[in-house]
Amino acid sequence: MPRPRKKRRRREAKRVPRSKALLPEYDRGAVPEGLATRRQLRDIGLSPGGNDGPVAILRCKWCSYRPWLSCNHPTRGFLLRVDLAKPKRIPTLAQEWALDRAMAARQTCSGCERRFHTCLSKKLGCCLECFDGTPVDPTSYAAPTASSRLAA
């Protein structure tokens, strides 16, 4: 006998007045100089290393129409200080080799040993040509080498 389904409740957004918000909030396009999101830090070549936590919130588009309310949606962005950010770490050669071996395992067909430029389907376990005979574009893979399967 099947169990009765639980009725799902719609998640209510907690409406907090903007004056009682814990962090200052800025609309898009009005962020002061020296603050950036994680993605903006990544594009600059920095990591949020020295930041203890967000110093402000970047309001989502929906909340820009309601300036009297605090933004608590998942699409909001957290702003970090650029002056406390640290340069990105450069991976060692051993780390790059390990990543290349992991990608080679995901991109190499088990049947024909060709390494493709994209990851193969885990469901099939091989390329389409080995699975059902569909011809594969020769520009989409690298020819198998005798010594090593590593691309780097």
Side-chain angles (χ1 to χ4, degrees):
M1 182 164 132
R3 289 187 281 164
R5 284 186 161 183
K6 289 184 178 180
K7 188 174 180 181
R8 290 188 181 187
R9 292 185 182 180
R10 187 173 168 207
R11 186 174 151 209
E12 295 292 327
K14 295 178 185 175
R15 296 196 170 141
V16 179
R18 194 167 179 182
S19 61
K20 294 185 180 179
L22 298 176
L23 294 173
E25 296 183 357
Y26 298 101
D27 289 323
R28 296 173 191 270
V31 178
E33 201 66 33
L35 297 180
T37 61
R38 282 178 170 270
R39 285 188 181 191
Q40 290 168 340
L41 288 177
R42 183 185 63 200
D43 292 341
I44 300 170
L46 300 172
S47 68
N51 286 294
D52 293 332
V55 293
I57 292 177
L58 180 65
R59 293 166 59 84
C60 67
K61 185 178 178 181
W62 187 81
C63 288
S64 65
Y65 299 116
R66 291 156 182 85
W68 60 91
L69 291 177
S70 167
C71 181
N72 61 358
H73 295 99
T75 55
R76 71 179 182 255
F78 294 105
L79 296 169
L80 305 165
R81 291 178 48 186
V82 177
D83 58 341
L84 295 179
K86 296 181 179 176
K88 280 187 177 180
R89 290 187 306 153
I90 299 172
T92 64
L93 191 58
Q95 288 173 331
E96 287 185 8
W97 281 346
L99 288 172
D100 193 49
R101 283 191 302 250
M103 288 305 293
R106 295 177 65 192
Q107 295 172 343
T108 305
C109 174
S110 58
C112 59
E113 295 294 321
R114 291 184 285 195
R115 182 169 177 182
F116 289 82
H117 301 300
T118 58
C119 294
L120 298 174
S121 168
K122 287 199 283 186
K123 188 174 185 179
L124 299 179
C126 59
C127 65
L128 283 176
E129 192 167 337
C130 294
F131 182 71
D132 62 1
T134 305
V136 179
D137 184 20
T139 61
S140 65
Y141 63 87
T145 59
S147 62
S148 173
R149 293 182 358 191
L150 298 179

